[in-house]
Amino acid sequence: MAMEVILKAAEGSAAGPANLGGGCSIPPLAFMDDTTIICSKEEETRRMSARLDTLMAWCRMKFKPKKSRSLSIRKGKIEEAVTFTVAEKQIPTVSQEPVKSFGRWYDSSMKDTRRGVETVQFASEGLLAINKCGIQGKFKVWCLQFMLIPKLLCPLLVYDICCSTVESIEAKINKYTRKWLGVPPGLSDVAMYCRKAKLKLPMKSILEEYKCGKVRLVTMLEESGDPVVKTVQPSIKTGRKWKVAEAIDEAKECLRLKEVIGQTQTDRKGLGSS
């Protein structure tokens, strides 16, 4: 509640960038005590930061420049010469020190290529650590499914990592899973992750979880009750092998086809028995 009063008092200091809907977004964005200033001009950013600094001084509080970061982009390139100050101290730029915001790291490259390489390396290290444990193979599979895969899904869903990178991670996981279960190396992935077979294993594919997470994210943004969020079409990059928009359109077409066909008899029980 205290931060909301401060943000309301600072709203009129600068005009935010216009969104796709034709309106104007609010320059300060906040979650709890974390505040982000987004402005289209350098002067507006300095005016907004000075206003927030004054308001914080009135409240007998102050910002911590060491925990803050600044980023200036002009014509698609990062401007290293542009710096900002708060509490009479210079704010480090993203090029000098990367920053993590809402679970996502930002650096000078402004790309997620490095995050994909780090995720693959983290998966390899995690598999080696589980493999070195002196426990039975089925318990290693349990550690993989309930400890390592949830940790891998977080960066896969946050960053724009292509589908081929996830496939390489799944190939490593399948190699160790076959080894721990004592099955032949040529066992198909369908035998491990199929949900329609009579013999179903309680394992989940990281590739399928990755695809479901991306589809869930796009659907959540498109079906949002907020008109501003709904107007802005999300851009989710997943590589060339698999497209989120195509998968969603195909699923919607299947649902429309089922609606057109209606209830049909599939066994000897009779129409309408289930």
Side-chain angles (χ1 to χ4, degrees):
M1 294 175 63
M3 292 301 298
E4 185 67 19
V5 174
I6 297 174
L7 294 176
K8 288 293 184 182
E11 280 184 4
S13 299
N19 53 34
L20 298 180
C24 189
S25 60
I26 301 176
L29 305 176
F31 179 77
M32 301 297 289
D33 61 338
D34 294 333
T35 306
T36 303
I37 301 176
I38 303 177
C39 295
S40 58
K41 296 182 180 180
E42 180 181 348
E43 295 77 10
E44 295 177 358
T45 307
R46 297 188 185 279
R47 192 184 311 119
M48 175 63 66
S49 60
R51 176 60 175 168
L52 286 174
D53 200 5
T54 303
L55 294 173
M56 295 298 286
W58 288 351
C59 302
R60 297 184 180 181
M61 296 186 294
K62 63 180 180 180
F63 292 106
K64 296 181 179 179
K66 293 183 179 181
K67 291 187 176 181
S68 305
R69 298 292 185 274
S70 64
L71 175 64
S72 178
I73 301 177
R74 290 181 179 176
K75 297 181 180 180
K77 296 182 179 181
I78 297 179
E79 288 285 343
E80 300 287 348
V82 179
T83 58
F84 302 93
T85 59
V86 67
E88 299 181 355
K89 294 182 180 180
Q90 182 177 343
I91 301 176
T93 61
V94 176
S95 302
Q96 297 172 354
E97 299 180 14
V99 61
K100 187 177 183 180
S101 177
F102 294 101
R104 183 187 180 98
W105 282 98
Y106 296 91
D107 55 9
S108 58
S109 64
M110 300 300 292
K111 297 180 180 179
D112 295 339
T113 306
R114 184 183 304 176
R115 305 307 168 192
V117 176
E118 292 177 355
T119 305
V120 174
Q121 183 179 359
F122 178 75
S124 302
E125 294 175 355
L127 291 171
L128 288 175
I130 296 175
N131 189 40
K132 292 180 181 179
C133 295
I135 57 179
Q136 297 181 10
K138 58 182 180 180
F139 296 115
K140 293 181 180 180
V141 176
W142 187 93
C143 294
L144 169 66
Q145 293 291 319
F146 294 98
M147 297 178 65
L148 182 59
I149 290 182
K151 289 184 177 180
L152 292 174
L153 286 176
C154 181
L156 291 178
L157 299 179
V158 170
Y159 301 108
D160 292 334
I161 299 177
C162 61
C163 187
S164 58
T165 304
V166 185
E167 289 179 353
S168 64
I169 296 176
E170 188 176 65
K172 298 177 181 292
I173 291 176
N174 295 341
K175 178 181 177 181
Y176 281 94
T177 302
R178 295 187 184 97
K179 178 181 178 181
W180 296 335
L181 295 178
V183 297
L187 182 67
S188 175
D189 299 343
V190 179
M192 294 190 296
Y193 304 121
C194 183
R195 290 291 177 264
K196 297 181 180 180
K198 293 184 178 180
L199 179 59
K200 296 184 294 184
L201 297 178
M203 297 188 303
K204 56 185 178 182
S205 171
I206 189 173
L207 181 60
E208 293 298 328
E209 294 293 329
Y210 163 81
K211 292 181 179 180
C212 292
K214 292 294 185 180
V215 171
R216 190 181 301 114
L217 175 61
V218 175
T219 306
M220 178 183 64
L221 296 177
E222 289 181 350
E223 304 296 335
S224 175
D226 191 345
V228 178
V229 177
K230 192 173 183 179
T231 302
V232 180
Q233 296 296 329
S235 177
I236 307 297
K237 301 178 182 179
T238 57
R240 299 180 180 179
K241 288 187 176 181
W242 181 78
K243 303 290 185 180
V244 184
E246 295 178 0
I248 294 177
D249 294 339
E250 184 179 354
K252 289 182 178 179
E253 289 297 331
C254 292
L255 292 176
R256 294 191 189 99
L257 180 61
K258 289 183 179 180
E259 185 179 0
V260 172
I261 294 176
Q263 296 291 338
T264 57
Q265 182 176 352
T266 56
D267 50 23
R268 302 179 62 183
K269 294 181 181 179
L271 182 62
S273 60
S274 60

